[in-house]
Amino acid sequence: MNYTNILTEQKGHVLYLTINRPKQLNALNKATISELNQALTLADNNKSIGVIILTGAGDKAFVAGADIKEFANFDIENGKKLAAEGQTKLFNVLENLSKPVIAAVNGFALGGGLELAMASHIRIATENAKMGLPEVSLGVIPGYGGTQRLAQLVGRGKAMEMVTTAGMITAEDAKQWGLVNHVTTTENLIPLAEKIAEKILKNSPNAISAAMRSINANYTVGVNGFEVEIEEFGKCFGTSEFIEGTTAFMEKRKANFRD
Ligand code: CAA
């Protein structure tokens, strides 16, 4: 697939997905959102991909937000459409993917950029990364799920402060607040993502997807996460991966879930 705004490369079972508009600090315009939707949908349906590492091109930004130049003259209707389409096409698709996405935050993750990292399943960041939801400084609010996912990750009080001050926090603070799991040097960012990916890839792809669906169920309105867990747990018993996993345990060998 040929893309203009993103780069994709598969190595082994890992897909590297890089947002590639470094001159615009990888700002998310409509075209980039469409391309990410396509790449993620393809990856979701590709059994040979087990983990996706998502990052930004260049040494300055992961993603500096939605493309302000693109929406600067929008009216109410277009504003609503922008948020709705973005959430449906990209942010919800990403969150509900059947395989983990590791956001490797390599610089500014602001507005839609932080929202993209928050819709990912695992976040790691470089020491110089800066994170924030500065939308209210532009006269708008986070529109790609930021008001919801930030509060889920850091708690309502900290989310209120970050959103209303429009301020940026450091990677270290983000780690303390539970917004990112690990902070490392720029050189070690992708190797660290790869180490996490390697651990994930040893496990049952089916069980990973089932566990992710169960965790996400707790954050879905009207859905009982405990009931989803019971259903998903039960379904695992009907899979060849369950047979392989438990047989490998009895035979005192490592399970082999992938070729
Ligand atoms: N949209 C469009 N272009 C952007 C952009 C964005 N979000 N962020 C940066 N750029 C562009 C700049 O306009 C500039 O382009 P030109 O050279 O063509 O002028 C280029 O990227 C480099 O940026 P700066 O010169 O501003 O770089 P800097 O180092 O001085 O500042 C920065 C870096 C602090 C990240 C600053 O660029 C900035 O504040 N960016 C905007 C951050 C922001 O407000 N994000 C939220 C967007 S709204 C949103 O995301 C809504 C939503 O939830 C749906």
Side-chain angles (χ1 to χ4, degrees):
M1 183 71 80
N2 276 339
Y3 298 110
T4 311
N5 303 297
I6 61 171
L7 304 170
T8 58
E9 187 188 9
Q10 186 177 347
K11 284 193 225 156
H13 297 297
V14 179
L15 178 74
Y16 296 77
L17 199 50
T18 305
I19 299 158
N20 189 30
R21 301 181 74 215
K23 286 191 184 142
Q24 300 302 309
L25 303 188
N26 303 319
L28 293 177
N29 58 1
K30 268 190 169 184
T32 307
I33 287 178
S34 267
E35 290 186 8
L36 283 168
N37 167 282
Q38 280 176 54
L40 288 169
T41 307
L42 283 175
D44 210 28
N45 294 318
N46 181 342
K47 280 202 164 159
S48 73
I49 294 171
V51 177
I52 296 159
I53 297 177
L54 176 64
T55 195
D59 52 12
K60 214 169 155 182
F62 172 68
V63 170
D67 193 318
I68 300 166
K69 290 158 192 161
E70 201 177 57
F71 70 65
N73 62 3
F74 277 12
D75 59 13
I76 292 176
E77 203 177 308
N78 284 319
K80 197 170 165 186
K81 204 168 147 207
L82 181 79
E85 281 187 2
Q87 289 193 19
T88 326
K89 258 189 155 178
L90 177 55
F91 294 79
N92 297 350
V93 168
L94 175 53
E95 185 171 66
N96 293 309
L97 228 61
S98 64
K99 42 200 81 174
V101 177
I102 302 172
V105 177
N106 57 318
F108 290 112
L110 301 174
L114 182 56
E115 291 172 302
L116 192 67
M118 291 193 295
S120 302
H121 307 101
I122 296 170
R123 284 158 295 285
I124 61 173
T126 53
E127 293 155 340
N128 66 343
K130 292 265 165 60
M131 280 157 258
L133 292 179
E135 285 90 342
V136 297
S137 70
L138 296 164
V140 288
I141 67 166
Y144 290 152
T147 60
Q148 307 304 298
R149 292 193 183 98
L150 185 62
Q152 287 167 0
L153 286 164
V154 304
R156 201 198 305 193
K158 290 192 179 88
M160 285 285 186
E161 183 177 337
M162 277 181 76
V163 171
T164 58
T165 61
M168 293 185 209
I169 62 167
T170 62
E172 257 325 308
D173 283 344
K175 188 179 157 195
Q176 262 187 26
W177 289 15
L179 188 50
V180 301
N181 297 0
H182 307 278
V183 176
T184 188
T185 58
T186 301
E187 302 71 47
N188 195 40
L189 185 68
I190 298 301
L192 175 59
E194 287 167 340
K195 260 189 215 154
I196 297 169
E198 208 178 295
K199 285 188 187 169
I200 293 170
L201 289 168
K202 288 189 179 136
N203 303 319
S204 152
N206 173 72
I208 288 170
S209 305
M212 289 170 66
R213 280 194 294 276
S214 303
I215 293 170
N216 280 342
N218 186 39
Y219 302 94
T220 313
V221 178
V223 172
N224 182 320
F226 289 98
E227 279 168 15
V228 171
E229 186 183 271
I230 291 168
E231 279 302 308
E232 293 288 357
F233 182 81
K235 277 195 232 156
C236 289
F237 286 72
T239 66
S240 56
E241 291 177 17
F242 168 73
I243 295 169
E244 167 59 10
T246 47
T247 308
F249 175 79
M250 313 285 197
E251 292 175 355
K252 299 194 184 300
R253 62 171 174 83
K254 288 211 162 84
N256 182 11
F257 295 113
R258 297 178 195 269
D259 320 321

